[in-house]
Amino acid sequence: MLRRSLENRDAQTRQLQDAVTNVEKHFGELCQIFAAYVRKTARLRDKADLLVNEINVYASTETPKLKQGLKTFADEFAKLQDYRQAEVERLEAKVVEPLKAYGTIVKMKRAETELQRATMDAARTSRHLEETIDSFEKQKIKDIKTIFSEFITIEMLFHGKALEVYTAAYQNIQKIDEEEDLEVFRNSLYPPDYSSRLDIVRANSKSPLQRSLSAKCVSGTGQVSTCRLRKDQQIEDDEEDEDLDVTEEEN
């Protein structure tokens, strides 16, 4: 009877130790990978902040509608990084830390098992080991459900907000009026006094004869009247000369 009790106790002890060792191994791996996941997410947030800054710098050099669209996108994208920061903090508190705490739990269970074997008789030890194994498994399952549920909830919350933000950002980008900005760009190629400068260039490019004719045309009615007066005066002088010639012949 005692021998059977000892065998049962040893079997239960090995079972508990195996369970504790298995949890120690895999929870440790999960903790490291989740921690790396959180660090990657934090680095992604940092890169996104750099992207927001660069978009704002570039937008300030662009045409009005494009500038407005880019800055609105940058604002929305910056808002998303606030949600990402909250995601990082929640993952750290609700996922990584509980997994990390299992290192302490495992050590405590292992010490508890050794203590029971050393201080109790076989029958009592067997009963307590059974209770310990049962409690450990129950708590492990409950903690796994809690940890993974928290992870899923945190990710769903972030991606839900991300969907809202990206939808708004997409709509704002689509509102950019390329035709209006293109018109602004075309107008920027020519300064306001471009027409007057063009007239000057055209005037300077005329031949001397064209400039002379233009000058005569520009002089207007005054010069035309002067020319007519000179012509009329010439006709009168000619008539007077003819009269003089007739008089001399008569004499």
Side-chain angles (χ1 to χ4, degrees):
M1 184 70 179
L2 179 59
R3 182 178 178 180
R4 181 175 298 176
S5 296
L6 291 173
E7 289 176 352
N8 289 338
R9 185 192 65 182
D10 291 341
Q12 288 173 334
T13 300
R14 285 193 300 271
Q15 184 179 2
L16 179 57
Q17 288 176 341
D18 290 344
V20 169
T21 301
N22 187 63
V23 168
E24 183 179 30
K25 175 185 176 182
H26 292 291
F27 273 48
E29 291 292 333
L30 288 171
C31 181
Q32 291 181 10
I33 295 172
F34 272 121
Y37 180 92
V38 174
R39 289 193 299 271
K40 291 280 188 180
T41 303
R43 284 198 289 269
L44 181 60
R45 173 208 59 209
D46 294 339
K47 293 296 183 182
D49 288 339
L50 294 176
L51 182 59
V52 168
N53 291 335
E54 178 57 28
I55 291 173
N56 277 318
V57 171
Y58 167 56
S60 64
T61 68
E62 274 296 347
T63 46
K65 292 299 181 180
L66 183 55
K67 176 181 179 179
Q68 181 182 355
L70 288 173
K71 283 189 172 293
T72 304
F73 171 82
D75 291 342
E76 294 291 346
F77 200 54
K79 184 191 302 181
L80 181 60
Q81 305 323 306
D82 294 336
Y83 293 129
R84 201 184 299 277
Q85 174 62 27
E87 175 195 18
V88 168
E89 294 173 357
R90 289 168 182 164
L91 287 173
E92 185 70 32
K94 300 293 186 179
V95 177
V96 176
E97 287 300 323
L99 286 171
K100 190 184 297 183
Y102 255 81
T104 303
I105 294 173
V106 165
K107 291 177 182 178
M108 291 177 59
K109 288 298 179 182
R110 187 170 285 126
E112 182 181 346
T113 303
E114 294 299 326
L115 181 63
Q116 287 176 354
R117 290 186 62 186
T119 59
M120 297 180 184
D121 59 47
R124 292 179 59 195
T125 300
S126 179
R127 186 172 64 254
H128 278 282
L129 284 172
E130 185 177 345
E131 292 173 355
T132 300
I133 293 172
D134 185 76
S135 174
F136 181 76
E137 284 295 312
K138 183 178 180 179
Q139 187 63 43
K140 178 193 72 177
I141 295 171
K142 181 180 178 181
D143 289 342
I144 288 175
K145 288 177 63 177
T146 300
I147 291 170
F148 278 83
S149 294
E150 289 288 355
F151 174 76
I152 294 168
T153 301
I154 292 168
E155 291 298 285
M156 287 177 62
L157 179 61
F158 169 74
H159 288 290
K161 291 295 184 180
L163 182 60
E164 294 178 7
V165 171
Y166 279 129
T167 299
Y170 178 84
Q171 291 172 346
N172 286 320
I173 287 295
Q174 293 303 308
K175 289 178 182 178
I176 296 175
D177 189 337
E178 57 266 31
E179 293 299 328
E180 183 174 337
D181 269 9
L182 185 58
E183 185 65 25
V184 171
F185 175 74
R186 287 169 177 165
N187 291 336
S188 70
L189 297 177
Y190 307 108
D193 58 344
Y194 175 76
S195 297
S196 59
R197 290 182 180 179
L198 184 60
D199 292 338
I200 294 173
V201 171
R202 287 173 177 170
N204 291 334
S205 66
K206 292 179 180 179
S207 65
L209 179 59
Q210 289 176 319
R211 286 198 295 271
S212 177
L213 291 175
S214 297
K216 290 180 179 180
C217 293
V218 170
S219 61
T221 307
Q223 288 191 358
V224 172
S225 300
T226 302
C227 291
R228 288 177 178 174
L229 289 173
R230 289 176 179 174
K231 186 175 181 180
D232 293 342
Q233 184 65 42
Q234 183 65 37
I235 293 172
E236 291 177 359
D237 291 342
D238 292 341
E239 290 176 350
E240 289 178 358
D241 290 339
E242 290 178 357
D243 292 339
L244 288 174
D245 290 340
V246 170
T247 304
E248 289 177 356
E249 288 178 358
E250 290 177 351
N251 292 331

